[in-house]
């Protein structure tokens, strides 16, 4: 009679297991390795209130962990039959070339000068038209206030209230408007 450890050693051959396609699933039934950032790597900040910010705590795990997503949900599906726009564009270009050729032939027969075609711009000309927008060197991005969403709303509404009261001519002390 074999011991359990002997049985396991025979059942799971290391060579077979190494080349196996089945990989160990991550925690929570995840497919593949977990790529969660550690606390110092997290960039997302959260307003705690009172003008203070701190790194966002735990990211919530997604609800669809461990399920394969269908390609139809990930990849944009075609809306029209294949090549419809390209075929129409090609036909229009062909028609234009045909008309231009007929005009040249007619001009040649009539003895007049052929109508001049519009010069087609080169790639360099097309690209030269694009202006690169430069960011002003004096631009500074707005700093986070540190106020939570509710606090910001409170301050904003206090200001709106103050404006309305000034328009109406209501006399209230300034302390009434402090958020």
């Amino acid at each position: 009679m074999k011991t359990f450890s002997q049985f396991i050693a025979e059942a799971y051959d290391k060579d077979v297991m190494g080349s196996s396609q089945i990989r160990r699933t991550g925690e929570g039934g995840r497919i593949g390795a977990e790529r969660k950032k550690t606390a110092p790597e997290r960039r997302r900040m959260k307003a705690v209130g009172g003008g203070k910010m701190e790194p966002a705590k735990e990211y919530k795990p997604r609800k669809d962990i461990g399920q394969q997503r269908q390609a139809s949900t990930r990849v944009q599906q075609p809306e029209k039959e294949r090549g419809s726009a390209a075929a129409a564009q090609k036909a229009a270009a062909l028609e234009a070339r045909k008309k231009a050729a007929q005009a040249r032939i007619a001009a040649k027969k009539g003895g007049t000068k052929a109508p001049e075609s519009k010069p087609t711009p080169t790639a360099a000309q097309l690209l030269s038209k694009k202006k690169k927008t430069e960011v002003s060197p004096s631009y500074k991005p707005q700093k986070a206030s540190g106020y939570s969403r509710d606090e910001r709303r409170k301050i904003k509404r206090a200001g709106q209230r103050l404006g309305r009261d000034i328009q109406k001519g209501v006399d209230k002390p300034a302390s009434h408007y402090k958020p």
Side-chain angles (χ1 to χ4, degrees):
M1 178 102 178
K2 293 178 189 167
T3 64
F4 180 72
S5 56
Q6 288 172 330
F7 176 75
I8 293 298
E10 288 175 15
Y12 294 102
D13 189 15
K14 281 207 186 319
D15 298 332
V16 174
M17 287 304 285
S19 63
S20 165
Q21 289 295 307
I22 299 164
R23 297 274 177 258
R24 189 169 59 88
T25 56
E27 66 174 57
R30 276 189 183 82
I31 296 167
E34 188 179 358
R35 301 188 300 273
K36 190 186 283 189
K37 284 180 165 53
T38 60
E41 288 176 318
R42 290 191 198 124
R43 291 270 176 270
R44 198 159 64 89
M45 300 293 275
K46 181 178 150 194
V48 190
K52 292 186 174 64
M53 304 284 285
E54 72 177 27
K57 290 276 189 287
E58 200 57 45
Y59 287 77
K60 290 177 193 160
R62 287 172 52 141
K63 290 186 182 83
D64 60 353
I65 287 174
Q67 296 167 8
Q68 291 281 20
R69 283 165 63 200
Q70 290 181 326
S72 61
T73 60
R74 288 180 286 123
V75 185
Q76 186 177 357
Q77 301 301 302
E79 293 165 2
K80 296 177 186 166
E81 67 275 0
R82 191 179 174 130
S84 61
Q89 200 174 11
K90 213 178 268 183
L94 212 68
E95 192 66 36
R97 282 170 58 192
K98 193 176 178 182
K99 278 185 184 172
Q102 285 172 342
R104 282 196 302 275
I105 292 165
K108 200 174 186 182
K109 281 185 182 172
T112 58
K113 201 172 183 186
E116 281 193 30
S117 62
K118 285 183 256 170
T120 54
T122 62
Q125 288 171 332
L126 287 169
L127 291 169
S128 67
K129 288 180 187 174
K130 290 182 182 172
K131 291 188 179 105
K132 288 186 178 172
T133 55
E134 285 189 24
V135 179
S136 168
S138 61
Y139 170 74
K140 297 276 187 292
Q142 190 176 4
K143 289 220 164 54
S145 67
Y147 292 113
S148 68
R149 186 180 177 191
D150 291 338
E151 287 173 327
R152 286 197 307 269
R153 190 190 303 129
K154 201 172 182 182
I155 293 166
K156 181 176 139 193
R157 286 184 179 167
Q160 289 171 343
R161 232 181 358 262
L162 174 62
R164 279 198 302 271
D165 286 349
I166 289 169
Q167 284 176 338
K168 286 181 192 173
V170 177
D171 289 329
K172 286 183 182 175
S175 61
H176 176 78
Y177 298 102
K178 283 188 181 171

